[in-house]
């Protein structure tokens, strides 16, 4: 065995509400958890502004504050945090082998996967070019910069409907661009969209290109070329910002071939638990949740994962 390897009872990968809650419970159960926080400690909530639905905050709380509180709570009970990613995992035998992005090797008796999900992108070159300069995947983070301006939201699900409604309170006009002629969003969200005058639907359409210009040292979006997917007709819409809201992708690339995944990449867990098909490997939060995807449900499943890990270790001692 390499001298570089350390041996751990419990390694938690990911630091959203699921990871931190797993850490609080695992630390209190004296598993001395090691957490890899990833490159965005705190996860998706750190790019959110107001969180009004996390129980225990009657006045609401901001995403970054709630994540900082969860982190402090996990540290208080002795969780060791490491900034960075796990680059490779080998679950073929226990202890499991994890390799971080500094090539450090860790042997883990149990692994809790809490790597969450990331926003999906359209995949057109101009989207990358203007990312951060008028292209965003988070209206609550960046909407503020578009006061009294014109924006587009792309997508037809609850997120797109919610972001369009949210933005309509700040901006002059919102184009909601969707590739079909009906929304996937819940009926209640659809009604909100249709009842909001500032939102104009652009049906059956996709963005072909995001166009912009150099403004001093920075770039700025000035419009989009939209294609009607039925007629093939193209037109330009002048606007200042584009919000992509076409869903999320679970962060499971390094676990392919190691744990059982659904076709869309989400980790399969045994219903009512956080167990994966590998004994000793558990998954919690958005990485295994295609339905609820809420901070509080992620936190709840993080608690379950730590309890599952603790019981697994006790029953194998
Ligand atoms: P969804 O997967 O529900 O919707 C994604 C939308 O993006 C769909 O309309 C889809 O089109 C469209 N889309 C996907 N890929 C592309 C692409 N490449 N180009 C153009 N359009 C594309 O994701 P959401 O993030 O909206 O929601 C995820 C989950 O979270 C859902 O279960 C939702 O109900 C829930 N949620 C609940 C909220 C609430 O209750 N307040 C708020 C936000 C989310 P198509 O319809 O044609 O497939």
């Amino acid at each position: 065995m390499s001298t570089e390897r350390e041996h751990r009872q419990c390694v938690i990968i990911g630091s959203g509400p699921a990871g931190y809650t797993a850490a609080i419970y695992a630390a209190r159960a004296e598993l001395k958890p090691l957490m890899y926080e990833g490159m965005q400690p705190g996860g998706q909530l750190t790019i959110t502004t107001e969180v009004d639905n996390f129980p225990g905050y009657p006045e609401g709380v901001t995403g970054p504050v709630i994540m900082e509180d969860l982190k402090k709570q996990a540290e208080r009970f002795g969780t060791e945090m490491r900034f960075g990613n796990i680059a490779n995992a080998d679950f073929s035998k226990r202890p499991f082998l994890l390799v971080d992005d500094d090539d450090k090797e860790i042997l883990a008796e149990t692994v809790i996967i809490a790597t969450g999900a990331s926003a999906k992108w359209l995949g057109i070159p101009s989207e990358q070019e203007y990312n951060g300069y008028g292209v965003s995947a988070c209206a609550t983070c960046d909407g503020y910069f578009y006061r009294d301006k014109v924006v587009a939201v792309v997508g037809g699900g609850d997120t797109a409907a919610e972001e369009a409604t949210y933005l309509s309170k700040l901006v002059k006009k919102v184009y909601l661009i969707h590739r079909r002629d009906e929304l996937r969003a819940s009926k209640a969200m659809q009604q909100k969209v249709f009842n909001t005058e500032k939102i104009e639907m652009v049906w059956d359409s996709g963005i072909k290109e995001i166009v912009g210009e150099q403004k001093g040292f920075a770039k700025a979006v000035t419009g989009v070329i939209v294609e009607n997917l039925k007629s093939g007709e193209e037109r330009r819409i002048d606007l200042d910002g584009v919000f992509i809201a076409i869903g999320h992708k679970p962060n499971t690339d390094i676990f392919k071939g190691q744990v059982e995944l659904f076709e869309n990449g989400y980790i399969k867990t045994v219903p009512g638990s956080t167990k994966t098909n590998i004994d000793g490997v558990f998954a919690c939060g958005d990485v295994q949740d295609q339905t609820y995807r809420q901070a509080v449900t992620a936190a709840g499943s993080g608690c379950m994962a730590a309890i599952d890990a603790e019981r697994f270790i006790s029953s194998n001692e």
Side-chain angles (χ1 to χ4, degrees):
M1 196 195 294
S2 142
T3 48
E4 283 297 298
R5 283 180 174 175
E6 55 179 308
H7 194 158
R8 293 286 183 150
Q9 295 270 69
C10 178
V11 177
I12 299 165
I13 311 174
S15 61
Y20 284 139
T21 308
I24 294 166
Y25 274 78
R28 286 172 60 85
E30 304 204 317
L31 299 186
K32 300 190 173 53
L34 168 64
M35 168 182 280
Y36 272 84
E37 291 183 289
M39 303 307 281
Q40 189 190 352
Q44 288 186 74
L45 271 192
T46 55
I47 53 163
T48 316
T49 48
E50 282 304 310
V51 179
D52 278 332
N53 53 10
F54 199 91
Y57 292 94
E59 306 304 328
V61 60
T62 67
V65 165
I66 197 173
M67 296 321 297
E68 204 45 48
D69 282 351
L70 282 168
K71 179 174 176 165
K72 279 190 205 142
Q73 200 173 348
E75 282 175 331
R76 182 179 145 213
F77 297 110
T79 304
E80 186 184 336
M81 309 274 178
R82 262 179 217 165
F83 182 75
N85 287 320
I86 292 294
N88 257 300
D90 180 355
F91 296 154
S92 59
K93 62 175 192 298
R94 212 162 46 86
F96 307 116
L97 176 63
L98 301 170
V99 184
D100 74 10
D101 45 18
D102 284 331
D103 284 331
K104 190 175 174 57
E105 297 186 340
I106 301 122
L107 292 173
E109 290 300 324
T110 59
V111 174
I112 295 177
I113 302 172
T115 45
S118 304
K120 280 202 227 164
W121 297 96
L122 298 172
I124 51 175
S126 48
E127 174 187 53
Q128 261 187 359
E129 189 184 340
Y130 290 101
N131 198 338
Y133 300 99
V135 176
S136 164
C138 178
T140 41
C141 326
D142 300 328
Y144 184 80
F145 302 117
Y146 298 91
R147 274 176 188 274
D148 299 321
K149 296 193 168 176
V150 178
V151 298
V153 174
V154 185
D158 277 319
T159 303
E162 203 168 79
E163 302 225 320
T165 315
Y166 171 83
L167 286 165
S168 71
K169 292 175 192 141
L170 298 169
V171 304
K172 196 153 69 182
K173 181 171 182 122
V174 182
Y175 290 95
L176 180 50
I177 302 171
H178 181 38
R179 63 184 177 184
R180 292 188 297 130
D181 60 2
E182 59 174 357
L183 295 178
R184 175 184 294 281
S186 63
K187 287 282 176 277
M189 282 310 298
Q190 292 195 26
Q191 275 322 312
K192 268 196 187 171
V193 167
F194 300 147
N195 290 337
T196 304
E197 245 176 63
K198 279 192 199 168
I199 302 176
E200 179 177 328
M201 290 303 311
V202 184
W203 296 111
D204 295 314
S205 298
I207 290 186
K208 248 194 129 176
E209 202 189 334
I210 296 164
V211 286
E213 60 186 22
Q214 195 73 28
K215 268 196 180 164
F217 290 110
K219 289 177 240 174
V221 166
T222 54
V224 286
I225 308 296
V226 169
E227 180 185 17
N228 183 302
L229 302 170
K230 282 193 172 151
S231 66
E233 205 178 294
E234 287 181 21
R235 68 167 165 134
R236 181 190 159 115
I237 299 176
D238 291 332
L239 45 71
D240 308 284
V242 182
F243 291 85
I244 312 294
I246 59 171
H248 286 80
K249 179 183 169 296
N251 298 319
T252 51
D253 287 351
I254 64 159
F255 306 115
K256 273 183 195 146
Q258 297 294 327
V259 286
E260 222 177 311
L261 306 177
F262 287 101
E263 218 162 80
N264 57 6
Y266 284 87
I267 295 179
K268 283 188 184 175
T269 49
V270 176
S273 81
T274 62
K275 292 176 189 169
T276 67
N277 65 315
I278 305 291
D279 285 344
V281 178
F282 306 92
C284 53
D286 283 11
V287 78
Q288 53 82 59
D289 177 6
Q290 307 192 46
T291 313
Y292 302 106
R293 305 184 226 207
Q294 299 300 300
V296 66
T297 51
S301 72
C303 157
M304 289 164 65
I307 292 175
D308 287 341
E310 201 256 326
R311 289 186 181 156
F312 177 82
I313 286 173
S314 307
S315 65
N316 280 278
E317 266 169 4

